[in-house]
């Protein structure tokens, strides 16, 4: 099954899907995010205008209302940036605590091609959230862009459909 939602006023696109576990997949150690033989995945897509990124919260206290883990972050350029030497770093917070990894370092050079994907850093530590936790997107080390836009995509695994 696949579910797609757009949250009006928040600008968040939510895409959820489930996939069959491959034969021999080990679910014995961690079955929190399984429904039978299905593993549930999803993405939150946060639209970002690069010129509007300033140090501090860009998304404040988004509450998913289910438990899960953040597994990947990346940014997809939808409008190119061309003025050199601009930069910003985006990171996620669960509650008020920075995610361990997952930072996305944006620069003009990385956002100068339509559709370009900027991968976030590997997520190496605390990435779990509960149904009452909030997720925020915070910007730092900003040298203000004057053009460009894209989607910050945050992938998660969790019991969201069941």
């Amino acid at each position: 099954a696949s579910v797609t939602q757009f949250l009006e006023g928040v600008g968040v696109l939510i895409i959820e899907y489930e996939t069959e576990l491959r034969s021999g997949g080990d679910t014995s150690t961690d079955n929190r995010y399984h429904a039978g033989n299905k593993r549930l995945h999803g993405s939150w897509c946060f639209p970002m205008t690069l010129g509007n990124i300033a140090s501090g919260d860009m998304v404040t206290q988004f509450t998913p209302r289910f438990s899960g883990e953040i597994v990947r972050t990346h940014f997809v350029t939808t409008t190119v940036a061309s003025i050199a030497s601009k930069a910003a770093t985006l990171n996620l917070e669960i509650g008020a605590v920075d995610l361990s990894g997952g930072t996305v370092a944006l620069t003009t050079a990385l956002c100068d091609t339509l559709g370009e994907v900027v991968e976030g850093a590997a997520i190496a530590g605390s990435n779990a959230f509960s149904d009452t936790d909030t997720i925020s997107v915070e910007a730092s080390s900003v040298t203000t862009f004057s053009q460009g836009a894209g989607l910050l995509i945050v992938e998660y695994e969790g019991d969201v459909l069941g």
Side-chain angles (χ1 to χ4, degrees):
S2 178
V3 177
T4 303
Q5 297 175 299
F6 183 76
L7 302 180
E8 294 290 334
V10 179
V12 178
L13 177 66
I14 300 172
I15 302 168
E16 299 170 350
Y17 56 94
E18 51 187 291
T19 57
E20 298 285 335
L21 287 176
R22 294 175 191 249
S23 176
D26 180 12
T27 62
S28 61
T29 58
D30 186 356
N31 63 6
R32 291 176 295 171
Y33 310 121
H34 296 107
N37 65 341
K38 308 269 185 197
R39 187 164 180 116
L40 307 174
H41 301 271
S43 298
W44 299 307
C45 303
F46 298 98
M48 300 267 170
T49 301
L50 296 178
N52 291 340
I53 295 176
S55 292
D57 281 355
M58 298 303 302
V59 176
T60 302
Q61 299 183 344
F62 168 72
T63 305
R65 293 190 171 89
F66 60 87
S67 298
E69 293 181 343
I70 296 171
V71 296
R72 180 180 177 214
T73 58
H74 50 284
F75 183 88
V76 178
T77 302
T78 58
T79 302
V80 299
S82 59
I83 296 177
S85 303
K86 305 302 179 189
T89 300
L90 302 174
N91 73 284
L92 298 176
E93 297 175 331
I94 298 174
V97 178
D98 287 344
L99 188 69
S100 298
T103 56
V104 180
L106 302 174
T107 65
T108 304
L110 294 174
C111 298
D112 66 353
T113 303
L114 185 64
E116 193 157 3
V117 177
V118 180
E119 287 293 336
I123 297 172
S126 178
N127 62 341
F129 57 89
S130 74
D131 61 344
T132 59
D133 278 332
T134 58
I135 311 283
S136 297
V137 178
E138 183 179 51
S140 62
S141 303
V142 177
T143 306
T144 306
F145 287 86
S146 56
Q147 81 281 84
L151 293 171
L152 175 65
I153 301 174
V154 178
E155 295 183 25
Y156 58 82
E157 296 179 353
D159 189 11
V160 297
L161 298 175

